[in-house]
Amino acid sequence: AGGSTTTLETATTFLNTGLVSFGNADADATVVGGTLDTATHTAATFLAGQLTTEAANGAMDLSAATLNANAALESGSGTIDLTTVTDGAGAFDLALQNGTGTGTVTATGAVTVDSLTTFASAYAVDLQGGATVTQDTNFLNDGALTLGSGAASTSTFVGGLDTTAVLGTVTLNGTIATTATDMDFGAATLGSATTLQTSDGALTSTGAITGAGQSLTLAAGTGAISLGDATTSVGGVTTLTLNSSSATTFSGAVGAADIALNGTTGLIDFTGAVTATNSLTTANQPYSVNFGAAANDSIAGDTTFLNAGSLTITGGGTTTFEGGVTATLPSVVNLQGSTVASTTGGITLGDADTGLAVTDSSIVDGSPTGIITLGDITLADAAQLTVGQGDANVISLRSVLGT
């Protein structure tokens, strides 16, 4: 059965101190012939059904609102400004604009609803106050998308989050979480310190995450992380922290002042060049680390690998640990056709418990005054290992096996 339609023929501002209610059921419609303003209204505002402003630039400015049913807000080219929106004790959908709307939708307060619907049209969505959405959320709008407004913001998409269809800039702020469900981004920019947390769901980006001078923390629990395209995964962040995952792949270049590999249970795979302008730290956790770029890695500071899995340097490039490197806790150190270098410090790869396996011809090139210490070396057939490159290094080798 069709719902009821209420028509307000001109621009309307509500100044009353009692409640304002637009519709009572999903099928109801309220049509306003101009702008709509309830922002100075101090009592409750209830939404149900379709609320439309029809005039050109028919802006909609609403006070704190509660859904009594599924609700759709449509303003054409006019902006939609919201404070808080909640579905209370219900479980309702909030639809923002429609397939032809172009007006930006801004919510300065929290949006708490069962589901959130957007459309493939040229408008922006700015959820400054964060959001809590129960169902899987797929943002389809063609304009920009902003989640949160600062490091203290929290946005939780319980059923999952997907922003890959958004054509405009996606800006991330604060903690963005899912609950054992997947989180998918295209390219994204950090607007403040940001934590991406999936609580055992997969975390994926198919484009670069640009730090813009902010920090990024990744926590996927037992979920896998895969970030970036073949060019760039993460760039311009102050601190990149990996707290948990089953495995993490950085498909493109990674650039940060500090990189902290605090935990994962599988492989941390850097397939693009890694640049850490201040430090790279690891933890005594059972993960492996792979540097696999054909381009060169540059890691500042004195780096110590504490992880219990393997350390592999491959790809054909040069990995420079500017202040030196120590790797005696990994299960094995693998060199596969690459160069390990230091600018000012020593190089220690392996000891009595950690072997050095060379499967393709490689170079270990310390600083002119740095000591090079290598564990028991195993050379694969036809593989060569060049140590020192003619510098006046002190070199200590435990043993060499192979040809």
Side-chain angles (χ1 to χ4, degrees), residues 123-127 139 141-147 163-173 185-191 208-210 212:
Y123 65 94
V125 176
D126 186 356
L127 301 181
F139 286 94
N141 55 297
D142 293 343
L145 171 65
T146 301
L147 300 178
T163 72
T164 56
V166 176
L167 299 184
T169 299
V170 175
T171 302
L172 309 177
N173 294 278
F185 299 102
T189 298
L190 306 185
I209 296 179
T210 302

Side-chain angles (χ1 to χ4, degrees), residues 267 288-291 309-315 319 327 330-340 349-350 354-360 362 364 378 385:
L267 174 65
S288 298
V289 179
N290 179 68
F291 295 93
S310 63
L311 169 63
T312 300
I313 300 174
T314 184
T319 299
S331 58
V332 64
V333 178
N334 299 302
L335 296 184
Q336 300 174 350
S338 295
T339 298
V340 178
L349 301 178
T354 298
L356 176 61
V358 181
T359 57
D360 197 357
S362 301
V364 177
T378 302
L385 178 63

Side-chain angles (χ1 to χ4, degrees), residues 206-274:
T206 57
I209 296 179
T210 302
Q214 305 295 335
S215 64
L216 175 63
T217 299
L218 307 172
T222 59
I225 298 175
S226 178
L227 299 184
D229 55 25
T231 302
T232 304
S233 290
V234 178
V237 301
T238 52
T239 300
L240 171 62
T241 302
L242 173 61
N243 280 339
S244 62
S245 72
S246 61
T248 296
T249 300
F250 296 97
S251 299
V254 172
D258 295 283
I259 299 174
L261 307 179
N262 290 343
T264 194
T265 56
L267 174 65
I268 301 173
D269 190 6
F270 296 98
T271 63
V274 177

